[in-house]
Amino acid sequence: MRNKNTSCTGNNLPRLVRPAIMGALLIRPMHGYEISKTLEDMGIFGKEGADLSGIYRALNQLQKEGKLVGKLEKSSTAPAKKTYSLTQSGKDCLCCWKSTLNSYKSQIDSVLNLLNKK
Amino acid sequence: MRNKNTSCTGNNLPRLVRPAIMGALLIRPMHGYEISKTLEDMGIFGKEGADLSGIYRALNQLQKEGKLVGKLEKSSTAPAKKTYSLTQSGKDCLCCWKSTLNSYKSQIDSVLNLLNKK
DNA sequence: AATGCTATATGTATAATTCATATATTTGAA
DNA sequence: TTCAAATATATGAATTATACATATAGCATT
């Protein structure tokens, strides 16, 4: 059954995956699975964490846009990983995201004000 | 040119149109164009306000879902309007939206905390 | 041997958004 | 008085994001 987010029971906030990923990479360079676990531990996307496939897709997109670079690390003892780090362009983008996220918050506050009327 | 919202320059917050519309209807029953102007005046979706076509689409969906009822008002002196009001189901939904929006805010705060690291 | 975790990726369906466009009436300005 | 702008609703089409399923594969534990 799809469709859990169409109504007022909305789970995750769309468009938050990208800045969340990039924020995680501010801590240190990480690979996708590690990013997913980090965000899950922080509880950003609820108890179940963000969808892994969405994270991998976003990572590939962000790389295509030049905001991240991924380095493939092969290993004989573990599955291959791609460790991503922020580029300068990615860091600039994060700065922009800061004001975007603050503007999201004030938009939400405006709606909440409406909902608390009366 | 499309594509203004894909990156960190994100404009409108998705999934905010529906609770915003329903919140406006808490003030009083209104028709679509009036809702659009009300939200625009409140600056919820930036200076340019929300896209009108999106509002009309959401109104029709919300009506289909039983959260609103629309009453067509024909007039000899003005274009026909559809005045919408919240149903009980719509009011229940709004209550749910309140906690959803607060959870959105805390998700955003978590990401902002990441971005402010160092 | 079987399960579960680590690790990445794609296919597909759906939902939401954006922009363009169509239609029709009314009001105000040049 | 003609033309533009505002009021009012709606649909078509493209894009983006999300969600869920699924595929693959190595490693660790029981």
Side-chain angles (χ1 to χ4, degrees):
Chain A
M1 195 70 60
R2 304 289 170 83
N3 216 13
K4 271 184 263 174
N5 289 330
T6 39
S7 67
C8 38
T9 56
N11 281 342
N12 296 335
L13 187 63
R15 311 235 168 117
L16 215 55
V17 172
R18 293 156 76 89
I21 287 175
M22 294 168 82
L25 292 180
L26 267 183
I27 304 176
R28 65 172 182 284
M30 292 189 214
H31 59 273
Y33 194 80
E34 212 178 348
I35 293 171
S36 144
K37 290 296 158 197
T38 303
L39 298 178
E40 195 177 334
D41 288 346
M42 298 180 61
I44 293 189
F45 294 103
K47 301 153 220 156
E48 296 154 20
D51 183 65
L52 256 178
S53 71
I55 290 186
Y56 287 119
R57 261 186 245 267
L59 282 171
N60 285 314
Q61 282 168 358
L62 288 167
Q63 183 169 235
K64 236 180 258 167
E65 292 163 17
K67 284 162 194 145
L68 306 181
V69 278
K71 211 175 72 181
L72 186 66
E73 295 174 49
K74 285 174 190 162
S75 157
S76 52
T77 62
K81 304 171 195 178
K82 266 189 210 162
T83 298
Y84 291 93
S85 31
L86 289 165
T87 61
Q88 186 55 49
S89 154
K91 285 174 198 166
D92 296 345
C93 185
L94 264 191
C95 182
C96 183
W97 264 115
K98 263 192 227 184
S99 62
T100 297
L101 293 179
N102 278 310
S103 131
Y104 281 179
K105 271 179 66 179
S106 74
Q107 284 179 41
I108 292 175
D109 277 330
S110 303
V111 176
L112 276 172
N113 275 339
L114 267 180
L115 302 202
N116 289 325
K117 282 269 166 67
K118 201 180 59 132
Chain B
M1 197 71 59
R2 302 290 170 80
N3 218 13
K4 272 184 264 175
N5 289 331
T6 38
S7 67
C8 37
T9 56
N11 280 340
N12 297 335
L13 188 62
R15 309 231 172 119
L16 216 55
V17 171
R18 293 156 76 91
I21 287 175
M22 295 169 82
L25 292 181
L26 267 184
I27 304 177
R28 65 172 182 284
M30 293 189 212
H31 58 272
Y33 195 81
E34 212 178 348
I35 293 171
S36 143
K37 289 296 157 198
T38 302
L39 298 178
E40 195 177 334
D41 289 346
M42 296 179 63
I44 293 188
F45 295 103
K47 301 154 220 156
E48 296 153 19
D51 183 66
L52 256 178
S53 71
I55 289 186
Y56 288 118
R57 263 187 244 268
L59 283 170
N60 285 315
Q61 282 168 358
L62 288 167
Q63 183 170 234
K64 236 180 260 168
E65 293 164 15
K67 283 162 194 146
L68 306 180
V69 277
K71 212 173 74 181
L72 186 65
E73 293 175 50
K74 284 174 190 161
S75 157
S76 51
T77 62
K81 302 170 197 179
K82 266 190 210 163
T83 298
Y84 290 94
S85 31
L86 288 166
T87 61
Q88 187 54 49
S89 152
K91 285 173 198 164
D92 296 344
C93 185
L94 264 190
C95 182
C96 183
W97 264 116
K98 264 191 227 183
S99 61
T100 296
L101 293 178
N102 278 310
S103 131
Y104 281 179
K105 272 178 67 180
S106 73
Q107 284 180 41
I108 293 174
D109 277 330
S110 304
V111 177
L112 277 172
N113 276 338
L114 266 181
L115 303 202
N116 289 324
K117 282 268 166 67
K118 203 181 61 133

